[in-house]
Amino acid sequence: MRSDDLYITTVPCFFQCPISLDLMNSPVSLSTGVTYDRVSIQRWLDGGNNTCPATMQILQNKDFVPNLTLHRLIDLWSDSNHRHNGSHSPESHTPTKDEINDAIDRVGDSDRDGLLSMILRFASGSDENREFLAGKDGFVEMLVDLISQLDSTNFSDSKLHLVGEAVKILSMIRRKIFDRRRLSNLILTNGGDFLTSLSLLIKNADPKLKIECSAVLEFIAVDAESKLLIAERDEIITEVMNSISSSTSDPTLTEASLSLLIAIASSKRVKLALIGEKKLVTKLTSLLTDPTTSVLATERCLKLLESVSSCKEGRSEICDGVCVETVVKRLMKVSTAATDHAVTVLWSVCYLFKETKAQDSVIITNGVTKILLLLQSNCSLTVRRMLTDLLKVFKVNSRSCLSVYETKTTHIMPF
């Protein structure tokens, strides 16, 4: 947050726009439920995009509504910080580009923490500042080298904090780094030191820093090789799995962990490791049955189930137990994206691979009725085709059943 005479170094993450990462001046919510700053999301939509930037879900409409509650909370927080930080101090000073250039040149000095904190304040200041850092020659390479210095023989609280600051900066500027593949190669071809550092950091850090680590790992997972290298780090995957299986986990950390799993779980080898040893399907089912699980986490759980349903071992785990029943129960109750992923899971196990256990579970949980109701909703053409395929499995004539529903039902709950 910046003004002529005030700079607040720490903005609560839920006050930041997911696009610009700046404090939201006019928070507005899309139909997906995600809130953005009005200027940032309007620029995104004006650019011809028809998806939610955070979830990449196709928007049914481009309308947004002011999030008045969040706006009031931001105003209260801003007023409080103005009262308590009225005096100008070195910590509240917004560094200039010249000061940042000097700080980067002196990062090798003894006061590394102070210099990195200054750079982090600068990066927090604006989208333009992050772009400046991402484009500065040698800066990203310097961050990678700093992060790679943490190992079990050189481990202390001060070193942990130093590396954590560097990870925060890298996470903050990652979306301004044009060449993701080059960054991925830089990180993953240094003998594995970077991943070793992140393994130690993600194990010992607080939830917020674990989120930053997950974001960096997701960003560098650009191809099959990079995804496999990350997945083979058992310390990292163990911590990520713990984040989605603990009832005390921070909701945002759970969402970030699920997003990382989605990014790396594209190859069959990784899927098999997650399904077998890590009990991924069991943990996803548990999350889906938890009423406190967020909308975004629910969508990501179902997307992961959709991914693992493409292999035999994944379908076997999905069809055993209560996973299919749980997926049916989430139909039409969360969001359009969640429903789309749930339909794809059911289509995969029931229609494409003819799993009889799954078909029985759909019938028991009154899933056929929900499929018919979904056909009357404003679903996409792809989802509509999958629903029609599912009705064929259950030997239901969609047209005749729909006509019966239309005559007997005067009002269908909106999708």
Side-chain angles (χ1 to χ4, degrees), residues 372 391 395-407:
L372 285 164
L391 290 178
K395 296 181 173 57
V396 176
N397 186 305
S398 60
R399 290 192 177 183
S400 62
C401 286
L402 283 173
S403 64
V404 171
Y405 269 88
E406 288 167 358
T407 57

Side-chain angles (χ1 to χ4, degrees), residues 198-206 210 213-214 217 233-246 249 253-254 257-258 260-261 278 283:
L198 246 61
S199 298
L200 290 167
L201 195 61
I202 204 169
K203 185 176 181 179
N204 295 278
D206 58 37
K210 287 183 179 182
C213 290
S214 296
L217 288 169
R233 290 290 177 143
D234 189 65
E235 308 94 333
I236 292 176
I237 300 304
T238 296
E239 288 300 319
V240 170
M241 296 304 292
N242 287 340
S243 297
I244 70 169
S245 58
S246 173
S249 290
L253 176 58
T254 299
S257 300
L258 288 167
L260 174 58
L261 290 173
K278 301 302 181 182
K283 292 177 180 180

Side-chain angles (χ1 to χ4, degrees), residues 102-113:
D102 180 63
I104 292 172
D105 291 338
R106 294 190 297 111
V107 164
D109 297 347
S110 57
D111 186 25
R112 282 181 168 185
D113 281 352

Side-chain angles (χ1 to χ4, degrees), residues 193-238:
D193 292 341
F194 185 96
L195 290 182
T196 298
S197 289
L198 246 61
S199 298
L200 290 167
L201 195 61
I202 204 169
K203 185 176 181 179
N204 295 278
D206 58 37
K208 186 172 182 181
L209 188 49
K210 287 183 179 182
I211 292 170
E212 306 291 2
C213 290
S214 296
V216 171
L217 288 169
E218 181 182 351
F219 190 76
I220 64 173
V222 294
D223 54 26
E225 182 182 2
S226 58
K227 293 173 183 181
L228 186 59
L229 285 171
I230 295 169
E232 287 178 338
R233 290 290 177 143
D234 189 65
E235 308 94 333
I236 292 176
I237 300 304
T238 296

Side-chain angles (χ1 to χ4, degrees), residues 72-90:
R72 285 193 293 269
L73 289 173
I74 292 174
D75 286 343
L76 288 171
W77 178 83
S78 300
D79 291 343
S80 174
N81 277 287
H82 272 292
R83 288 195 299 272
H84 291 95
N85 296 278
S87 61
H88 195 69
S89 65

Side-chain angles (χ1 to χ4, degrees), residues 157-176:
D157 288 343
S158 60
K159 195 73 174 179
L160 191 71
H161 180 266
L162 179 72
V163 172
E165 292 291 278
V167 169
K168 290 177 185 176
I169 296 169
L170 183 58
S171 174
M172 192 169 289
I173 69 172
R174 69 188 190 280
R175 291 193 176 94
K176 299 301 177 183

